Amino acid sequence: MIEEQQKELEDILAELAENLDITETQDKVIRQSYEAVGNFLAEDGSLLAQYDVEIWPQGSFNLGTIIKPVNEGDDLDIDLVCELKSKEKDWTQHDVKSNVGKRLKQSDLYRKMLDDEGRRCWTLLYRDNAQSTTDKYHMDILPSIVGGGYHTIVRDMFSAKELKESDFDKAAIRITDNKKDDYYISTFPATWLKSNPFGYAKWFELRQQQLKPITRTFANEDVKPLPNKRRLKTVLQRVVQLLKRHRDIMYNGRDDKNDKPISIIITTLAAEAYKGESNMVIAFRNVVNTMTDYIEEREINGRTIKYIANPVNKAENFADKWSENPQRQKNFYEWVNKLKHDMNLISGSKTRILLESNIKDSFGKDVTERTFSRLAEKTHKDRENGNLKMKTTGVLSAIGGTIVATNHNFYGSETDE
């Protein structure tokens, strides 16, 4: 791929990923919703008030890698941690979880929104009150116990520039799981299942922090700073968004969609494979080509299994379900192979029509059309201002060049509009 084409493809991928973001309105509504839940749980006089309960986002919403659903009527999935700083001495996992559920059921609103109890979470369905089908979302609330001074530990961890694995572990929390043998028995949180969403978030931040957020300017300098830092994404965040979208498109409508690659595996392998590339095209291609190199094989109980270690808790295997459900492992490798195939097609596209067609197949029709439309509008502004130049290769560029472009053209062909 020649340099000018790679620059254009970089702009396309960055714009494409930006169009996958949830809207500012959705972001605001979601934040207001989980803050309201947290305030209700911690309200003076409530059965949880004395345990200093708080709610915080985790997962893709916290990592900045959340994307819109493929289908308009599908829910956004928001993961939350419900932290209790203490509990009654005789409370088991069951008691902690059930008391969070009891408090939610004391609200007329939340009682109506509660889904069936999950293995580890309570789920609130924000559907009936949605203004439109694009505003549908649900919140998975994970009850947990945290130690004394927990927020000081997390704050110190996030201010650090380098950390050892043992440092991450200080941010671990203990969660409830109704499939565990001690669910109704153990009153000691130290024996409960461990999770570390904020340690993971810090690890992910360290994998990407060496680079500034993606900034793309056009010749007329008409692009203003984004109003919310949430929208200033790093290359790694954008790569993860593109990977997740490609997966969602590939498995949309398939009978085995519930066995598609899970986001935590995609995010972890992408972050492991990312080597600080500042160019979106190079970063995406390198991640796609090398992410499977970070899948280990370990012999456990006489069996050789695939192992994707949680980077902040090496004892946890994110691929543990692959052994009991081989279809998930098969689907993961099928997806990676298609990623490589599709990226080669996109990179090798010779015309604008072929390029757009290949991107539609990989990432979806609506978001692709929106991406090309927005880029065309920006190119049009540059051309009107007389700032857009064209290399002698015939490829439009917002920098360099010697010939002023007079006709709208994208990706180097005047005949394929």
Side-chain angles (χ1 to χ4, degrees), residues 15 218 220 222 369-385 388 408 410:
E15 184 72 39
F218 294 81
N220 62 3
D222 190 36
E369 290 181 347
R370 187 161 59 251
T371 294
F372 276 80
S373 176
R374 287 180 61 175
L375 285 171
E377 289 174 6
K378 292 171 183 176
T379 302
H380 181 68
K381 285 184 179 180
D382 280 332
R383 188 177 67 254
E384 284 186 334
N385 291 334
L388 190 64
H408 175 65
F410 201 76

mmCIF file with all atom_site columns, all heavy atoms in Angstrom, residues 15 218 220 222 369-385 388 408 410:
data_model
loop_
_atom_site.group_PDB
_atom_site.id
_atom_site.type_symbol
_atom_site.label_atom_id
_atom_site.label_alt_id
_atom_site.label_comp_id
_atom_site.label_asym_id
_atom_site.label_entity_id
_atom_site.label_seq_id
_atom_site.pdbx_PDB_ins_code
_atom_site.Cartn_x
_atom_site.Cartn_y
_atom_site.Cartn_z
_atom_site.occupancy
_atom_site.B_iso_or_equiv
_atom_site.pdbx_formal_charge
_atom_site.auth_seq_id
_atom_site.auth_comp_id
_atom_site.auth_asym_id
_atom_site.auth_atom_id
_atom_site.pdbx_PDB_model_num
ATOM 1   N N   . GLU A 1 15  ? -12.164 7.433  11.696 1.00 0.00 ? 15  GLU A N   1
ATOM 2   C CA  . GLU A 1 15  ? -13.527 7.955  11.599 1.00 0.00 ? 15  GLU A CA  1
ATOM 3   C C   . GLU A 1 15  ? -14.549 6.851  11.851 1.00 0.00 ? 15  GLU A C   1
ATOM 4   O O   . GLU A 1 15  ? -15.562 7.063  12.525 1.00 0.00 ? 15  GLU A O   1
ATOM 5   C CB  . GLU A 1 15  ? -13.746 8.567  10.214 1.00 0.00 ? 15  GLU A CB  1
ATOM 6   C CG  . GLU A 1 15  ? -15.100 9.229  10.022 1.00 0.00 ? 15  GLU A CG  1
ATOM 7   C CD  . GLU A 1 15  ? -15.231 10.539 10.771 1.00 0.00 ? 15  GLU A CD  1
ATOM 8   O OE1 . GLU A 1 15  ? -14.255 11.309 10.817 1.00 0.00 ? 15  GLU A OE1 1
ATOM 9   O OE2 . GLU A 1 15  ? -16.326 10.793 11.310 1.00 0.00 ? 15  GLU A OE2 1
ATOM 10  N N   . PHE A 1 218 ? -7.567  18.679 9.400  1.00 0.00 ? 218 PHE A N   1
ATOM 11  C CA  . PHE A 1 218 ? -7.662  18.835 7.957  1.00 0.00 ? 218 PHE A CA  1
ATOM 12  C C   . PHE A 1 218 ? -7.057  20.186 7.571  1.00 0.00 ? 218 PHE A C   1
ATOM 13  O O   . PHE A 1 218 ? -6.779  21.032 8.422  1.00 0.00 ? 218 PHE A O   1
ATOM 14  C CB  . PHE A 1 218 ? -9.122  18.712 7.510  1.00 0.00 ? 218 PHE A CB  1
ATOM 15  C CG  . PHE A 1 218 ? -9.647  17.326 7.738  1.00 0.00 ? 218 PHE A CG  1
ATOM 16  C CD1 . PHE A 1 218 ? -10.077 16.936 9.003  1.00 0.00 ? 218 PHE A CD1 1
ATOM 17  C CD2 . PHE A 1 218 ? -9.665  16.386 6.725  1.00 0.00 ? 218 PHE A CD2 1
ATOM 18  C CE1 . PHE A 1 218 ? -10.534 15.650 9.231  1.00 0.00 ? 218 PHE A CE1 1
ATOM 19  C CE2 . PHE A 1 218 ? -10.125 15.093 6.941  1.00 0.00 ? 218 PHE A CE2 1
ATOM 20  C CZ  . PHE A 1 218 ? -10.559 14.730 8.195  1.00 0.00 ? 218 PHE A CZ  1
ATOM 21  N N   . ASN A 1 220 ? -7.994  22.958 6.402  1.00 0.00 ? 220 ASN A N   1
ATOM 22  C CA  . ASN A 1 220 ? -8.582  24.233 6.767  1.00 0.00 ? 220 ASN A CA  1
ATOM 23  C C   . ASN A 1 220 ? -8.613  24.465 8.275  1.00 0.00 ? 220 ASN A C   1
ATOM 24  O O   . ASN A 1 220 ? -9.126  25.474 8.742  1.00 0.00 ? 220 ASN A O   1
ATOM 25  C CB  . ASN A 1 220 ? -10.005 24.349 6.196  1.00 0.00 ? 220 ASN A CB  1
ATOM 26  C CG  . ASN A 1 220 ? -10.935 23.283 6.744  1.00 0.00 ? 220 ASN A CG  1
ATOM 27  O OD1 . ASN A 1 220 ? -10.545 22.490 7.594  1.00 0.00 ? 220 ASN A OD1 1
ATOM 28  N ND2 . ASN A 1 220 ? -12.160 23.264 6.254  1.00 0.00 ? 220 ASN A ND2 1
ATOM 29  N N   . ASP A 1 222 ? -10.401 23.319 10.502 1.00 0.00 ? 222 ASP A N   1
ATOM 30  C CA  . ASP A 1 222 ? -11.773 23.591 10.920 1.00 0.00 ? 222 ASP A CA  1
ATOM 31  C C   . ASP A 1 222 ? -12.238 22.633 12.018 1.00 0.00 ? 222 ASP A C   1
ATOM 32  O O   . ASP A 1 222 ? -13.336 22.759 12.527 1.00 0.00 ? 222 ASP A O   1
ATOM 33  C CB  . ASP A 1 222 ? -12.707 23.474 9.705  1.00 0.00 ? 222 ASP A CB  1
ATOM 34  C CG  . ASP A 1 222 ? -14.102 23.982 10.000 1.00 0.00 ? 222 ASP A CG  1
ATOM 35  O OD1 . ASP A 1 222 ? -14.222 24.964 10.745 1.00 0.00 ? 222 ASP A OD1 1
ATOM 36  O OD2 . ASP A 1 222 ? -15.058 23.388 9.485  1.00 0.00 ? 222 ASP A OD2 1
ATOM 37  N N   . GLU A 1 369 ? -21.342 3.827  5.642  1.00 0.00 ? 369 GLU A N   1
ATOM 38  C CA  . GLU A 1 369 ? -21.884 4.930  4.839  1.00 0.00 ? 369 GLU A CA  1
ATOM 39  C C   . GLU A 1 369 ? -21.766 6.250  5.593  1.00 0.00 ? 369 GLU A C   1
ATOM 40  O O   . GLU A 1 369 ? -21.460 7.290  4.996  1.00 0.00 ? 369 GLU A O   1
ATOM 41  C CB  . GLU A 1 369 ? -23.334 4.637  4.467  1.00 0.00 ? 369 GLU A CB  1
ATOM 42  C CG  . GLU A 1 369 ? -23.468 3.499  3.454  1.00 0.00 ? 369 GLU A CG  1
ATOM 43  C CD  . GLU A 1 369 ? -24.914 3.216  3.073  1.00 0.00 ? 369 GLU A CD  1
ATOM 44  O OE1 . GLU A 1 369 ? -25.822 3.737  3.784  1.00 0.00 ? 369 GLU A OE1 1
ATOM 45  O OE2 . GLU A 1 369 ? -25.137 2.484  2.102  1.00 0.00 ? 369 GLU A OE2 1
ATOM 46  N N   . ARG A 1 370 ? -22.022 6.211  6.897  1.00 0.00 ? 370 ARG A N   1
ATOM 47  C CA  . ARG A 1 370 ? -21.887 7.424  7.699  1.00 0.00 ? 370 ARG A CA  1
ATOM 48  C C   . ARG A 1 370 ? -20.432 7.904  7.722  1.00 0.00 ? 370 ARG A C   1
ATOM 49  O O   . ARG A 1 370 ? -20.147 9.104  7.646  1.00 0.00 ? 370 ARG A O   1
ATOM 50  C CB  . ARG A 1 370 ? -22.384 7.156  9.120  1.00 0.00 ? 370 ARG A CB  1
ATOM 51  C CG  . ARG A 1 370 ? -22.442 8.383  10.015 1.00 0.00 ? 370 ARG A CG  1
ATOM 52  C CD  . ARG A 1 370 ? -23.346 8.157  11.218 1.00 0.00 ? 370 ARG A CD  1
ATOM 53  N NE  . ARG A 1 370 ? -22.912 7.045  12.042 1.00 0.00 ? 370 ARG A NE  1
ATOM 54  C CZ  . ARG A 1 370 ? -23.554 5.876  12.130 1.00 0.00 ? 370 ARG A CZ  1
ATOM 55  N NH1 . ARG A 1 370 ? -24.657 5.669  11.426 1.00 0.00 ? 370 ARG A NH1 1
ATOM 56  N NH2 . ARG A 1 370 ? -23.103 4.911  12.910 1.00 0.00 ? 370 ARG A NH2 1
ATOM 57  N N   . THR A 1 371 ? -19.508 6.959  7.807  1.00 0.00 ? 371 THR A N   1
ATOM 58  C CA  . THR A 1 371 ? -18.082 7.293  7.829  1.00 0.00 ? 371 THR A CA  1
ATOM 59  C C   . THR A 1 371 ? -17.644 7.963  6.536  1.00 0.00 ? 371 THR A C   1
ATOM 60  O O   . THR A 1 371 ? -17.003 9.023  6.556  1.00 0.00 ? 371 THR A O   1
ATOM 61  C CB  . THR A 1 371 ? -17.252 6.011  8.064  1.00 0.00 ? 371 THR A CB  1
ATOM 62  O OG1 . THR A 1 371 ? -17.521 5.516  9.375  1.00 0.00 ? 371 THR A OG1 1
ATOM 63  C CG2 . THR A 1 371 ? -15.764 6.275  7.911  1.00 0.00 ? 371 THR A CG2 1
ATOM 64  N N   . PHE A 1 372 ? -17.988 7.363  5.408  1.00 0.00 ? 372 PHE A N   1
ATOM 65  C CA  . PHE A 1 372 ? -17.579 7.931  4.123  1.00 0.00 ? 372 PHE A CA  1
ATOM 66  C C   . PHE A 1 372 ? -18.273 9.259  3.858  1.00 0.00 ? 372 PHE A C   1
ATOM 67  O O   . PHE A 1 372 ? -17.687 10.159 3.251  1.00 0.00 ? 372 PHE A O   1
ATOM 68  C CB  . PHE A 1 372 ? -17.855 6.928  3.000  1.00 0.00 ? 372 PHE A CB  1
ATOM 69  C CG  . PHE A 1 372 ? -16.764 5.921  2.812  1.00 0.00 ? 372 PHE A CG  1
ATOM 70  C CD1 . PHE A 1 372 ? -16.667 4.819  3.645  1.00 0.00 ? 372 PHE A CD1 1
ATOM 71  C CD2 . PHE A 1 372 ? -15.803 6.091  1.825  1.00 0.00 ? 372 PHE A CD2 1
ATOM 72  C CE1 . PHE A 1 372 ? -15.649 3.892  3.505  1.00 0.00 ? 372 PHE A CE1 1
ATOM 73  C CE2 . PHE A 1 372 ? -14.770 5.173  1.668  1.00 0.00 ? 372 PHE A CE2 1
ATOM 74  C CZ  . PHE A 1 372 ? -14.698 4.068  2.510  1.00 0.00 ? 372 PHE A CZ  1
ATOM 75  N N   . SER A 1 373 ? -19.506 9.394  4.323  1.00 0.00 ? 373 SER A N   1
ATOM 76  C CA  . SER A 1 373 ? -20.228 10.646 4.141  1.00 0.00 ? 373 SER A CA  1
ATOM 77  C C   . SER A 1 373 ? -19.560 11.778 4.930  1.00 0.00 ? 373 SER A C   1
ATOM 78  O O   . SER A 1 373 ? -19.373 12.885 4.409  1.00 0.00 ? 373 SER A O   1
ATOM 79  C CB  . SER A 1 373 ? -21.677 10.482 4.603  1.00 0.00 ? 373 SER A CB  1
ATOM 80  O OG  . SER A 1 373 ? -22.377 11.707 4.514  1.00 0.00 ? 373 SER A OG  1
ATOM 81  N N   . ARG A 1 374 ? -19.170 11.493 6.174  1.00 0.00 ? 374 ARG A N   1
ATOM 82  C CA  . ARG A 1 374 ? -18.539 12.523 7.000  1.00 0.00 ? 374 ARG A CA  1
ATOM 83  C C   . ARG A 1 374 ? -17.167 12.905 6.442  1.00 0.00 ? 374 ARG A C   1
ATOM 84  O O   . ARG A 1 374 ? -16.801 14.082 6.429  1.00 0.00 ? 374 ARG A O   1
ATOM 85  C CB  . ARG A 1 374 ? -18.408 12.029 8.446  1.00 0.00 ? 374 ARG A CB  1
ATOM 86  C CG  . ARG A 1 374 ? -19.746 11.988 9.184  1.00 0.00 ? 374 ARG A CG  1
ATOM 87  C CD  . ARG A 1 374 ? -19.589 11.506 10.608 1.00 0.00 ? 374 ARG A CD  1
ATOM 88  N NE  . ARG A 1 374 ? -18.726 12.391 11.393 1.00 0.00 ? 374 ARG A NE  1
ATOM 89  C CZ  . ARG A 1 374 ? -18.512 12.229 12.688 1.00 0.00 ? 374 ARG A CZ  1
ATOM 90  N NH1 . ARG A 1 374 ? -19.096 11.226 13.342 1.00 0.00 ? 374 ARG A NH1 1
ATOM 91  N NH2 . ARG A 1 374 ? -17.726 13.056 13.338 1.00 0.00 ? 374 ARG A NH2 1
ATOM 92  N N   . LEU A 1 375 ? -16.413 11.920 5.977  1.00 0.00 ? 375 LEU A N   1
ATOM 93  C CA  . LEU A 1 375 ? -15.114 12.222 5.388  1.00 0.00 ? 375 LEU A CA  1
ATOM 94  C C   . LEU A 1 375 ? -15.263 13.030 4.099  1.00 0.00 ? 375 LEU A C   1
ATOM 95  O O   . LEU A 1 375 ? -14.468 13.928 3.818  1.00 0.00 ? 375 LEU A O   1
ATOM 96  C CB  . LEU A 1 375 ? -14.347 10.928 5.118  1.00 0.00 ? 375 LEU A CB  1
ATOM 97  C CG  . LEU A 1 375 ? -13.758 10.241 6.357  1.00 0.00 ? 375 LEU A CG  1
ATOM 98  C CD1 . LEU A 1 375 ? -13.207 8.870  6.000  1.00 0.00 ? 375 LEU A CD1 1
ATOM 99  C CD2 . LEU A 1 375 ? -12.676 11.101 6.990  1.00 0.00 ? 375 LEU A CD2 1
ATOM 100 N N   . ALA A 1 376 ? -16.296 12.705 3.333  1.00 0.00 ? 376 ALA A N   1
ATOM 101 C CA  . ALA A 1 376 ? -16.534 13.452 2.092  1.00 0.00 ? 376 ALA A CA  1
ATOM 102 C C   . ALA A 1 376 ? -16.880 14.907 2.396  1.00 0.00 ? 376 ALA A C   1
ATOM 103 O O   . ALA A 1 376 ? -16.443 15.828 1.695  1.00 0.00 ? 376 ALA A O   1
ATOM 104 C CB  . ALA A 1 376 ? -17.659 12.793 1.301  1.00 0.00 ? 376 ALA A CB  1
ATOM 105 N N   . GLU A 1 377 ? -17.669 15.131 3.446  1.00 0.00 ? 377 GLU A N   1
ATOM 106 C CA  . GLU A 1 377 ? -18.022 16.492 3.841  1.00 0.00 ? 377 GLU A CA  1
ATOM 107 C C   . GLU A 1 377 ? -16.784 17.287 4.239  1.00 0.00 ? 377 GLU A C   1
ATOM 108 O O   . GLU A 1 377 ? -16.630 18.460 3.877  1.00 0.00 ? 377 GLU A O   1
ATOM 109 C CB  . GLU A 1 377 ? -19.010 16.464 5.006  1.00 0.00 ? 377 GLU A CB  1
ATOM 110 C CG  . GLU A 1 377 ? -20.402 15.992 4.631  1.00 0.00 ? 377 GLU A CG  1
ATOM 111 C CD  . GLU A 1 377 ? -21.299 15.839 5.845  1.00 0.00 ? 377 GLU A CD  1
ATOM 112 O OE1 . GLU A 1 377 ? -20.858 16.218 6.962  1.00 0.00 ? 377 GLU A OE1 1
ATOM 113 O OE2 . GLU A 1 377 ? -22.432 15.338 5.696  1.00 0.00 ? 377 GLU A OE2 1
ATOM 114 N N   . LYS A 1 378 ? -15.892 16.651 4.980  1.00 0.00 ? 378 LYS A N   1
ATOM 115 C CA  . LYS A 1 378 ? -14.672 17.336 5.406  1.00 0.00 ? 378 LYS A CA  1
ATOM 116 C C   . LYS A 1 378 ? -13.760 17.619 4.214  1.00 0.00 ? 378 LYS A C   1
ATOM 117 O O   . LYS A 1 378 ? -13.138 18.681 4.121  1.00 0.00 ? 378 LYS A O   1
ATOM 118 C CB  . LYS A 1 378 ? -13.949 16.494 6.465  1.00 0.00 ? 378 LYS A CB  1
ATOM 119 C CG  . LYS A 1 378 ? -14.718 16.410 7.778  1.00 0.00 ? 378 LYS A CG  1
ATOM 120 C CD  . LYS A 1 378 ? -14.099 15.398 8.740  1.00 0.00 ? 378 LYS A CD  1
ATOM 121 C CE  . LYS A 1 378 ? -14.936 15.294 10.000 1.00 0.00 ? 378 LYS A CE  1
ATOM 122 N NZ  . LYS A 1 378 ? -14.444 14.255 10.937 1.00 0.00 ? 378 LYS A NZ  1
ATOM 123 N N   . THR A 1 379 ? -13.685 16.661 3.300  1.00 0.00 ? 379 THR A N   1
ATOM 124 C CA  . THR A 1 379 ? -12.888 16.860 2.092  1.00 0.00 ? 379 THR A CA  1
ATOM 125 C C   . THR A 1 379 ? -13.472 17.999 1.249  1.00 0.00 ? 379 THR A C   1
ATOM 126 O O   . THR A 1 379 ? -12.740 18.819 0.688  1.00 0.00 ? 379 THR A O   1
ATOM 127 C CB  . THR A 1 379 ? -12.842 15.570 1.268  1.00 0.00 ? 379 THR A CB  1
ATOM 128 O OG1 . THR A 1 379 ? -12.292 14.517 2.067  1.00 0.00 ? 379 THR A OG1 1
ATOM 129 C CG2 . THR A 1 379 ? -11.991 15.738 0.016  1.00 0.00 ? 379 THR A CG2 1
ATOM 130 N N   . HIS A 1 380 ? -14.810 18.052 1.193  1.00 0.00 ? 380 HIS A N   1
ATOM 131 C CA  . HIS A 1 380 ? -15.484 19.106 0.428  1.00 0.00 ? 380 HIS A CA  1
ATOM 132 C C   . HIS A 1 380 ? -15.148 20.483 0.994  1.00 0.00 ? 380 HIS A C   1
ATOM 133 O O   . HIS A 1 380 ? -14.899 21.443 0.238  1.00 0.00 ? 380 HIS A O   1
ATOM 134 C CB  . HIS A 1 380 ? -16.990 18.874 0.470  1.00 0.00 ? 380 HIS A CB  1
ATOM 135 C CG  . HIS A 1 380 ? -17.787 19.886 -0.295 1.00 0.00 ? 380 HIS A CG  1
ATOM 136 N ND1 . HIS A 1 380 ? -17.755 19.982 -1.673 1.00 0.00 ? 380 HIS A ND1 1
ATOM 137 C CD2 . HIS A 1 380 ? -18.627 20.866 0.131  1.00 0.00 ? 380 HIS A CD2 1
ATOM 138 C CE1 . HIS A 1 380 ? -18.552 20.969 -2.062 1.00 0.00 ? 380 HIS A CE1 1
ATOM 139 N NE2 . HIS A 1 380 ? -19.081 21.524 -0.980 1.00 0.00 ? 380 HIS A NE2 1
ATOM 140 N N   . LYS A 1 381 ? -15.117 20.609 2.316  1.00 0.00 ? 381 LYS A N   1
ATOM 141 C CA  . LYS A 1 381 ? -14.766 21.892 2.933  1.00 0.00 ? 381 LYS A CA  1
ATOM 142 C C   . LYS A 1 381 ? -13.352 22.303 2.550  1.00 0.00 ? 381 LYS A C   1
ATOM 143 O O   . LYS A 1 381 ? -13.086 23.466 2.260  1.00 0.00 ? 381 LYS A O   1
ATOM 144 C CB  . LYS A 1 381 ? -14.876 21.792 4.466  1.00 0.00 ? 381 LYS A CB  1
ATOM 145 C CG  . LYS A 1 381 ? -16.298 21.791 4.997  1.00 0.00 ? 381 LYS A CG  1
ATOM 146 C CD  . LYS A 1 381 ? -16.294 21.794 6.514  1.00 0.00 ? 381 LYS A CD  1
ATOM 147 C CE  . LYS A 1 381 ? -17.711 21.816 7.063  1.00 0.00 ? 381 LYS A CE  1
ATOM 148 N NZ  . LYS A 1 381 ? -17.722 21.811 8.550  1.00 0.00 ? 381 LYS A NZ  1
ATOM 149 N N   . ASP A 1 382 ? -12.438 21.345 2.583  1.00 0.00 ? 382 ASP A N   1
ATOM 150 C CA  . ASP A 1 382 ? -11.060 21.639 2.213  1.00 0.00 ? 382 ASP A CA  1
ATOM 151 C C   . ASP A 1 382 ? -10.974 22.096 0.760  1.00 0.00 ? 382 ASP A C   1
ATOM 152 O O   . ASP A 1 382 ? -10.243 23.031 0.429  1.00 0.00 ? 382 ASP A O   1
ATOM 153 C CB  . ASP A 1 382 ? -10.168 20.412 2.428  1.00 0.00 ? 382 ASP A CB  1
ATOM 154 C CG  . ASP A 1 382 ? -9.776  20.243 3.882  1.00 0.00 ? 382 ASP A CG  1
ATOM 155 O OD1 . ASP A 1 382 ? -9.716  21.248 4.604  1.00 0.00 ? 382 ASP A OD1 1
ATOM 156 O OD2 . ASP A 1 382 ? -9.537  19.101 4.295  1.00 0.00 ? 382 ASP A OD2 1
ATOM 157 N N   . ARG A 1 383 ? -11.716 21.415 -0.118 1.00 0.00 ? 383 ARG A N   1
ATOM 158 C CA  . ARG A 1 383 ? -11.664 21.755 -1.537 1.00 0.00 ? 383 ARG A CA  1
ATOM 159 C C   . ARG A 1 383 ? -12.232 23.152 -1.778 1.00 0.00 ? 383 ARG A C   1
ATOM 160 O O   . ARG A 1 383 ? -11.698 23.939 -2.562 1.00 0.00 ? 383 ARG A O   1
ATOM 161 C CB  . ARG A 1 383 ? -12.431 20.724 -2.345 1.00 0.00 ? 383 ARG A CB  1
ATOM 162 C CG  . ARG A 1 383 ? -12.267 20.902 -3.854 1.00 0.00 ? 383 ARG A CG  1
ATOM 163 C CD  . ARG A 1 383 ? -12.974 19.813 -4.650 1.00 0.00 ? 383 ARG A CD  1
ATOM 164 N NE  . ARG A 1 383 ? -14.407 19.907 -4.522 1.00 0.00 ? 383 ARG A NE  1
ATOM 165 C CZ  . ARG A 1 383 ? -15.133 19.066 -3.784 1.00 0.00 ? 383 ARG A CZ  1
ATOM 166 N NH1 . ARG A 1 383 ? -14.561 18.094 -3.121 1.00 0.00 ? 383 ARG A NH1 1
ATOM 167 N NH2 . ARG A 1 383 ? -16.438 19.196 -3.705 1.00 0.00 ? 383 ARG A NH2 1
ATOM 168 N N   . GLU A 1 384 ? -13.321 23.480 -1.064 1.00 0.00 ? 384 GLU A N   1
ATOM 169 C CA  . GLU A 1 384 ? -13.925 24.802 -1.226 1.00 0.00 ? 384 GLU A CA  1
ATOM 170 C C   . GLU A 1 384 ? -12.968 25.909 -0.796 1.00 0.00 ? 384 GLU A C   1
ATOM 171 O O   . GLU A 1 384 ? -12.969 27.000 -1.362 1.00 0.00 ? 384 GLU A O   1
ATOM 172 C CB  . GLU A 1 384 ? -15.216 24.894 -0.397 1.00 0.00 ? 384 GLU A CB  1
ATOM 173 C CG  . GLU A 1 384 ? -16.398 24.173 -1.016 1.00 0.00 ? 384 GLU A CG  1
ATOM 174 C CD  . GLU A 1 384 ? -17.663 24.419 -0.223 1.00 0.00 ? 384 GLU A CD  1
ATOM 175 O OE1 . GLU A 1 384 ? -17.563 24.693 0.988  1.00 0.00 ? 384 GLU A OE1 1
ATOM 176 O OE2 . GLU A 1 384 ? -18.753 24.348 -0.824 1.00 0.00 ? 384 GLU A OE2 1
ATOM 177 N N   . ASN A 1 385 ? -12.153 25.598 0.217  1.00 0.00 ? 385 ASN A N   1
ATOM 178 C CA  . ASN A 1 385 ? -11.201 26.587 0.706  1.00 0.00 ? 385 ASN A CA  1
ATOM 179 C C   . ASN A 1 385 ? -9.911  26.615 -0.112 1.00 0.00 ? 385 ASN A C   1
ATOM 180 O O   . ASN A 1 385 ? -8.995  27.392 0.183  1.00 0.00 ? 385 ASN A O   1
ATOM 181 C CB  . ASN A 1 385 ? -10.859 26.323 2.173  1.00 0.00 ? 385 ASN A CB  1
ATOM 182 C CG  . ASN A 1 385 ? -12.037 26.609 3.086  1.00 0.00 ? 385 ASN A CG  1
ATOM 183 O OD1 . ASN A 1 385 ? -12.900 27.402 2.751  1.00 0.00 ? 385 ASN A OD1 1
ATOM 184 N ND2 . ASN A 1 385 ? -12.065 25.964 4.239  1.00 0.00 ? 385 ASN A ND2 1
ATOM 185 N N   . LEU A 1 388 ? -7.143  21.748 -0.328 1.00 0.00 ? 388 LEU A N   1
ATOM 186 C CA  . LEU A 1 388 ? -6.928  20.330 -0.582 1.00 0.00 ? 388 LEU A CA  1
ATOM 187 C C   . LEU A 1 388 ? -6.026  20.143 -1.784 1.00 0.00 ? 388 LEU A C   1
ATOM 188 O O   . LEU A 1 388 ? -6.269  20.693 -2.853 1.00 0.00 ? 388 LEU A O   1
ATOM 189 C CB  . LEU A 1 388 ? -8.268  19.628 -0.839 1.00 0.00 ? 388 LEU A CB  1
ATOM 190 C CG  . LEU A 1 388 ? -8.210  18.112 -0.881 1.00 0.00 ? 388 LEU A CG  1
ATOM 191 C CD1 . LEU A 1 388 ? -7.790  17.558 0.472  1.00 0.00 ? 388 LEU A CD1 1
ATOM 192 C CD2 . LEU A 1 388 ? -9.557  17.547 -1.277 1.00 0.00 ? 388 LEU A CD2 1
ATOM 193 N N   . HIS A 1 408 ? -14.433 16.348 -6.690 1.00 0.00 ? 408 HIS A N   1
ATOM 194 C CA  . HIS A 1 408 ? -14.499 15.490 -5.514 1.00 0.00 ? 408 HIS A CA  1
ATOM 195 C C   . HIS A 1 408 ? -14.045 14.083 -5.884 1.00 0.00 ? 408 HIS A C   1
ATOM 196 O O   . HIS A 1 408 ? -14.490 13.506 -6.868 1.00 0.00 ? 408 HIS A O   1
ATOM 197 C CB  . HIS A 1 408 ? -15.931 15.424 -4.973 1.00 0.00 ? 408 HIS A CB  1
ATOM 198 C CG  . HIS A 1 408 ? -16.051 14.474 -3.845 1.00 0.00 ? 408 HIS A CG  1
ATOM 199 N ND1 . HIS A 1 408 ? -15.417 14.681 -2.638 1.00 0.00 ? 408 HIS A ND1 1
ATOM 200 C CD2 . HIS A 1 408 ? -16.689 13.295 -3.752 1.00 0.00 ? 408 HIS A CD2 1
ATOM 201 C CE1 . HIS A 1 408 ? -15.685 13.671 -1.832 1.00 0.00 ? 408 HIS A CE1 1
ATOM 202 N NE2 . HIS A 1 408 ? -16.451 12.817 -2.489 1.00 0.00 ? 408 HIS A NE2 1
ATOM 203 N N   . PHE A 1 410 ? -12.318 10.378 -3.931 1.00 0.00 ? 410 PHE A N   1
ATOM 204 C CA  . PHE A 1 410 ? -11.824 9.719  -2.729 1.00 0.00 ? 410 PHE A CA  1
ATOM 205 C C   . PHE A 1 410 ? -11.169 8.419  -3.106 1.00 0.00 ? 410 PHE A C   1
ATOM 206 O O   . PHE A 1 410 ? -11.696 7.630  -3.867 1.00 0.00 ? 410 PHE A O   1
ATOM 207 C CB  . PHE A 1 410 ? -12.976 9.477  -1.732 1.00 0.00 ? 410 PHE A CB  1
ATOM 208 C CG  . PHE A 1 410 ? -12.498 9.276  -0.330 1.00 0.00 ? 410 PHE A CG  1
ATOM 209 C CD1 . PHE A 1 410 ? -12.080 10.352 0.421  1.00 0.00 ? 410 PHE A CD1 1
ATOM 210 C CD2 . PHE A 1 410 ? -12.443 8.018  0.208  1.00 0.00 ? 410 PHE A CD2 1
ATOM 211 C CE1 . PHE A 1 410 ? -11.627 10.186 1.717  1.00 0.00 ? 410 PHE A CE1 1
ATOM 212 C CE2 . PHE A 1 410 ? -11.981 7.837  1.499  1.00 0.00 ? 410 PHE A CE2 1
ATOM 213 C CZ  . PHE A 1 410 ? -11.579 8.929  2.257  1.00 0.00 ? 410 PHE A CZ  1
#
